[in-house]
């Protein structure tokens, strides 16, 4: 249960940022109910990635990807929820 609490705290803290990171995480929620799946996501997938070796503008690429996803969701009839 400690991992889930820490994950929620991190999401909340990132959402308070005044940068683009804050915009991305502003209303983020943990919807992973199974602790083993959360551990697999955080430890095995995210934790194993060597983020410093990723070249280019990671923030810009991520933001652009989110914009594209949002645009395609609107075109497909998906509605944004607040």
């Amino acid at each position: 249960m400690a991992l889930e609490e820490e994950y929620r705290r991190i999401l909340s803290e990132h959402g308070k940022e005044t940068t683009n990171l804050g915009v991305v995480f502003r209303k983020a929620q943990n919807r992973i109910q199974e602790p083993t799946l959360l551990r697999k996501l955080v430890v095995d997938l995210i934790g194993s990635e060597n983020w410093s070796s990723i070249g280019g503008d990671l923030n810009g690429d991520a933001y652009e990807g989110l914009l594209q996803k949002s645009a395609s969701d609107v075109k497909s009839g998906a509605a944004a929820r607040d």
Side-chain angles (χ1 to χ4, degrees):
M1 191 59 83
L3 178 62
E4 182 179 358
E5 291 171 7
E6 180 67 5
Y7 185 62
R8 286 183 184 186
R9 185 193 68 75
I10 290 170
L11 290 177
S12 175
E13 289 300 313
H14 284 322
K16 294 175 185 173
E17 293 286 328
T18 58
T19 62
N20 285 342
L21 186 66
V23 173
V24 170
F25 284 95
R26 186 135 308 127
K27 293 184 180 181
Q29 298 176 8
N30 175 26
R31 297 189 182 230
I32 302 173
Q33 300 296 314
E34 182 63 41
T36 55
L37 293 177
L38 180 61
R39 177 167 296 284
K40 183 173 181 78
L41 170 68
V42 173
V43 176
D44 296 345
L45 297 175
I46 297 172
S48 67
E49 186 65 46
N50 184 0
W51 296 99
S52 62
S53 71
I54 299 173
D57 181 10
L58 184 59
N59 286 342
D61 293 345
Y63 188 68
E64 185 175 311
L66 288 171
L67 288 175
Q68 288 174 343
K69 170 121 177 63
S70 177
S72 68
D73 285 349
V74 170
K75 289 178 187 173
S76 68
R81 295 183 181 191
D82 289 60

